[in-house]
Amino acid sequence: MNLILLGPPGAGKGTQAKLLEERYGLAQVSTGDMLRAEVKSGSELGQKAKAIMERGELMPDSIMIAMLGARVAQPDASRGFILDGFPRTVPQAEALDVLLRETGMPLAHVIELQVDDAALVERISGRFTCAKCGEGYHDRFKACRIAGTCDKCGGTEFIRRADDNAATVGARLEAYHRQTAPLLPYYGAQGKLRVVDGMAEMAEVSRQIEAILGAPRG
Ligand code: AP5
């Protein structure tokens, strides 16, 4: 089963993709995580990405389409994948349609997480992750059980993303409404779009998604 999680920055795409990865055995494909790995490596692509991401703008379609094509060709994606952060423009969605058709990998659902802009700012500004294992947290909505210690690996160092600041969040939201929101009617016309209340608590959002997907096999 191949899925797209669609929604504005901070809607909970990464949070839900990780849960679906565990529960359904699908591969999470996060283009944001891939770009952050490039930034960390200091590659030429990473240097370009760093500047664009810190401005809250989107990377060029041609780069992202090539990156996605290489990623879904990897063996772990053959068991099914969850796209988190791709596509983000109509040209990316059109290229994805071609890729899925050529590789015989059908798209089951496009799940939109609907969240108000005001709630997104609070979610993004409170987000942090464990530097060691990458587990995601939130100052208010998902704090560590023991303050300053990761629940999952016991790590004590945490990271906040460079683009998670008030100025950049405004630009990211603007990019979402202008460039990504047109994908809603695009997938609506294909009969693939399913809507979930992303304002609900994390467990309830998962429940709504699982109601769409059905119980995991085996
Ligand atoms: P990317 O990394 O994809 O960021 P994003 O889309 O802005 O999404 P986020 O990761 O910020 O949010 P999320 O929806 O995953 O929310 P999360 O689960 O963390 O992209 C970053 C940049 O890379 C882009 O700006 C662009 O420059 C570039 N890029 C990436 N892909 C691209 C592409 N295809 N084309 C062009 N450029 C591209 O949740 C947020 C917080 O809220 C967490 O702390 C979480 O704990 C909390 N939370 C989650 N769910 C709930 C809930 N239900 N209730 C309360 N709190 C919740």
Side-chain angles (χ1 to χ4, degrees):
M1 175 165 58
N2 304 309
L3 307 172
I4 296 174
L5 291 184
L6 202 56
K13 302 180 297 295
T15 301
Q16 295 300 328
K18 284 203 168 59
L19 295 170
L20 291 171
E21 183 172 44
E22 281 173 27
R23 192 153 154 70
Y24 289 81
L26 304 171
Q28 178 191 9
V29 175
S30 161
T31 45
D33 285 351
M34 289 157 71
L35 290 170
R36 281 183 286 279
E38 290 289 340
V39 172
K40 203 170 168 192
S41 78
S43 67
E44 203 178 310
L45 172 62
Q47 287 169 32
K48 182 181 171 94
K50 183 173 189 291
I52 292 176
M53 290 165 84
E54 286 179 1
R55 287 199 302 271
E57 295 168 6
L58 296 186
M59 288 285 284
D61 287 334
S62 57
I63 293 177
M64 299 313 298
I65 290 165
M67 188 183 261
L68 193 276
R71 176 64 186 89
V72 297
Q74 286 176 19
D76 67 323
S78 65
R79 64 179 196 250
F81 51 77
I82 311 150
L83 298 184
D84 156 15
F86 188 99
R88 264 180 147 95
T89 62
V90 170
Q92 290 183 20
E94 289 168 346
L96 179 65
D97 281 347
V98 172
L99 177 76
L100 294 178
R101 213 169 28 245
E102 283 175 358
T103 51
M105 299 189 284
L107 187 60
H109 304 288
V110 177
I111 299 176
E112 181 200 0
L113 302 179
Q114 283 188 340
V115 181
D116 299 346
D117 281 6
L120 296 171
V121 175
E122 187 183 15
R123 285 195 190 176
I124 290 174
S125 51
R127 168 170 55 189
F128 61 98
T129 53
C130 172
K132 202 165 147 198
C133 74
E135 181 71 358
Y137 293 96
H138 191 279
D139 292 326
R140 183 166 158 217
F141 303 120
K142 191 187 164 198
C144 300
R145 281 197 289 271
I146 300 168
T149 305
C150 176
D151 297 351
K152 203 167 175 186
C153 75
T156 53
E157 281 182 38
F158 296 88
I159 308 167
R160 288 187 192 257
R161 273 168 48 177
D163 58 344
D164 280 353
N165 59 73
T168 309
V169 168
R172 286 164 61 194
L173 281 174
E174 209 266 321
Y176 175 78
H177 290 299
R178 193 164 47 82
Q179 292 168 277
T180 308
L183 296 181
L184 300 172
Y186 180 90
Y187 286 116
Q190 291 188 7
K192 305 261 188 214
L193 188 66
R194 309 281 177 270
V195 179
V196 159
D197 176 16
M199 294 292 288
E201 287 185 5
M202 289 177 214
E204 169 57 18
V205 176
S206 299
R207 199 198 58 70
Q208 289 185 26
I209 295 175
E210 289 179 17
I212 293 167
L213 305 185
R217 286 209 197 121

